[in-house]
Amino acid sequence: MAKRRGPAVAALGVAVALLATGACAQSAARGPADAGHGAPTAVVRTDAGTVRGTVSGRHRSFRGIPYAGPPTGEHRWAAPRPVRPWQGVRGATRPGPLCPQVPAQYGGTTSLEEDCLVLNVTAPARSGRGRGLPVFVWIHGDGTIGGGHLFDARRLADRGLMVVTVNYRLGVFGGFAHPGLPGSGTFALQDQQAALRWVARNAAAFGGDPGNVTVAGTSFGAAAIVGHLTSPSARGLFHRAVLSSGEGMMDMLAGMMGPQVPAYRWYTWRTVRDLRDAGRDVAAGLGCAGPDPGRALRCLRALPVKRILEVPYVMNVFQAFAFGEGVLPELPEKALEEGRFHRVPVLSGATRDEHRLFVGLTWDAVNGKLTEGQYEELAVTAFGKERAAAVLAEYPVDAFPSPALAWATVVTDRMWARGTYAQHTALGRHVPTYAYEFADRRAPMYLPVPAGDFDFGAYHASDTPYVFEDEALRGRFTPAQARLADAVTDYWATFAATGRPGRRGLAPWPAFEPGSPVPHTQSLAPGAVTAVDYAAAHNLAFWRRLG
């Protein structure tokens, strides 16, 4: 079986590794520097013990607070367990360890540390009196690299929010599945829910309101939130949701992420059986095969982290969530379509040119320019010969500056925009839904990709630094982009506080109404925050006709 499944699993790993770069702000963003010995401190009592953070300027910061016990030994691939209480005052001035990870094409972080289930709190230095602060919980994207402390939340805290950023188990440690393993394929989701339960118990101690919690994420993180929206065990843990470039209702046709990458019906979701089959293959490759699942798991849990990470693509194979049991009893996409999800307001959107990042990394910016012949071959691989002819007629190569941009537009429209619009529609039928498109086509590139003449446009996750502070990019924003960053952050913060993104001083942002002729989508561009006909801009009528 390992030989039969291996190539497909490896190809999926490559595809997901590229697609999930929504967390790439991690490789470039920097959190506030640790305070020196003479810096003011802040002391807070949590339910597990007292922590000492720092006060710097307008902010209070607490870093590396454990929200669950170490997932080590027999607790590797198990539900998160409670933190062991501590005596005295625990320092919370430095980041905790990143969860196990290896460098990716778009990020160089490395860690072998499993005792990594920590979170960080950033809040205004003065919380004021009266009701607690709205709480904003950030789930970073990617699913194989990064961590919460790599996102600097001071800009959001300046808007009166208590911001929590979270580490969770990644890749094979967060999504591993195996016969006889309870919770298979959902350990990352379980970690995130454990962090939300920590917020419910402890937010008030930091000046936050546990009755007003927004959970937000980008890319893989946004897909996780779609899972939480449909997970029975997440009921009541949050009251609003922000989905940035989410993949919860997205599929992938063959070749869209590269010539050798096959099609997948659900991009983010896998059946428990499929992931358990993959886990059995990985166990065999690690020398832990056998008819007794318990013995195989004991063997796997005894392996050093480094040995597991040395298996090619092992992190990316499990960069998905399993449905069919426990945490996700049914396919989240189906649950959204049929209205079975937690009723909370949602702010949801994507970028104008989502797929340009992946085309650039696969071809023009790294491996040579995509040719017209390759563009045609990719279309045939994805759509079949007959439908490819219709696609090539609708997106003729001579209508674009290059074949690469033609292909990026095809995939942005067919895969990203189609899935995003379906998500808006499913949500908007039942809850207040505010749709957006980030459209700054000159957004600075914050990822470590080669410089060149490829036009990345408003690439995947290019809106992240417009919300999270990034000192390296701050000097590269034009005045108009700096104003856009303020507006986007104001929208997100206002939504977290009230459940609506609009307020005085901001351009109006009506809700997305699925039954209207042109449901409102807010276009966010420098000097041009206005409505856009999202379906028309991404040619969705054509894709509906094509099927």
Side-chain angles (χ1 to χ4, degrees), residues 183-446:
S184 281
T186 65
F187 301 112
L189 291 176
Q190 292 185 56
D191 291 347
Q192 294 160 16
Q193 292 182 10
L196 289 167
R197 292 188 182 94
W198 182 95
V199 167
R201 298 192 307 271
N202 293 286
F206 292 86
D209 178 1
N212 185 3
V213 176
T214 296
V215 62
T218 191
S219 194
F220 187 83
I225 294 169
V226 171
H228 296 312
L229 282 167
T230 66
S231 172
S233 52
R235 182 180 300 278
L237 294 181
F238 57 95
H239 312 95
R240 328 194 195 291
V242 177
L243 309 175
S244 174
S245 295
E247 305 143 6
M249 298 187 74
M250 196 168 77
D251 64 347
M252 183 176 71
L253 302 182
M256 283 189 163
M257 294 303 300
Q260 305 304 316
V261 181
Y264 288 91
R265 170 63 185 87
W266 309 299
Y267 193 84
T268 303
W269 319 112
R270 297 288 176 272
T271 66
V272 172
R273 178 176 180 177
D274 283 347
L275 278 187
R276 283 177 173 161
D277 285 347
R280 187 188 291 112
D281 291 349
V282 168
L286 287 165
C288 293
D292 181 353
R295 179 175 294 180
L297 285 169
R298 288 191 294 274
C299 173
L300 289 165
R301 285 170 169 150
L303 293 175
V305 170
K306 184 177 181 181
R307 174 72 183 94
I308 296 172
L309 294 180
E310 287 172 346
V311 177
Y313 304 116
V314 73
M315 290 294 280
N316 308 117
V317 168
F318 300 100
Q319 197 177 14
F321 303 112
F323 69 91
E325 294 182 356
V327 177
L328 291 181
E330 65 175 320
L331 173 65
E333 177 181 314
K334 185 173 186 288
L336 246 62
E337 287 176 343
E338 298 178 2
R340 291 188 299 278
F341 61 89
H342 307 313
R343 298 294 196 257
V344 301
V346 177
L347 191 152
S348 172
T351 67
R352 178 70 180 83
D353 305 300
E354 288 279 0
H355 207 67
R356 287 195 191 185
L357 176 66
F358 311 108
V359 169
L361 290 175
T362 305
W363 286 287
D364 282 36
V366 178
N367 296 315
K369 294 187 180 298
L370 184 72
T371 67
E372 182 175 349
Q374 288 173 315
Y375 170 48
E376 294 172 356
E377 290 172 4
L378 286 167
V380 171
T381 298
F383 302 104
K385 190 172 182 180
E386 182 177 339
R387 293 199 307 158
V391 172
L392 294 170
E394 189 73 17
Y395 295 80
V397 69
D398 58 7
F400 298 88
S402 69
L405 291 182
W407 180 237
T409 305
V410 167
V411 183
T412 292
D413 291 355
R414 167 56 179 80
M415 187 168 78
W416 291 94
R418 184 170 174 264
T420 298
Y421 196 81
Q423 181 172 279
H424 294 164
T425 301
L427 292 164
R429 291 191 184 112
H430 302 280
V431 298
T433 300
Y434 299 91
Y436 76 88
E437 177 170 79
F438 181 77
D440 184 358
R441 287 185 142 170
R442 296 185 179 274
M445 174 56 69
Y446 66 89

Side-chain angles (χ1 to χ4, degrees), residues 23 26 62 64-68 96-99 101 116-121 135-141 145-151 153 163-170 187-199 214-216 221 228 468:
Q26 308 149 154
F62 303 83
I65 303 173
Y67 67 85
L98 296 170
C99 289
Q101 56 193 272
C116 63
L117 299 185
V118 299
L119 52 75
N120 316 283
V121 176
V135 182
F136 188 94
V137 180
W138 178 250
I139 299 177
H140 71 78
I145 65 169
H149 76 266
L150 296 167
F151 292 85
V163 185
V164 179
T165 62
V166 180
N167 285 10
Y168 58 90
R169 282 174 283 183
L170 304 170
F187 301 112
L189 291 176
Q190 292 185 56
D191 291 347
Q192 294 160 16
Q193 292 182 10
L196 289 167
R197 292 188 182 94
W198 182 95
V199 167
T214 296
V215 62
H228 296 312
F468 288 91

Side-chain angles (χ1 to χ4, degrees), residues 12 21 119 129 232 279 291 315 323 337 349 371 435 503 519 542-543 546:
L12 174 61
T21 53
L119 52 75
R129 297 180 179 180
M315 290 294 280
F323 69 91
E337 287 176 343
T371 67
R503 67 163 175 78
F542 167 77
W543 293 108
L546 192 69

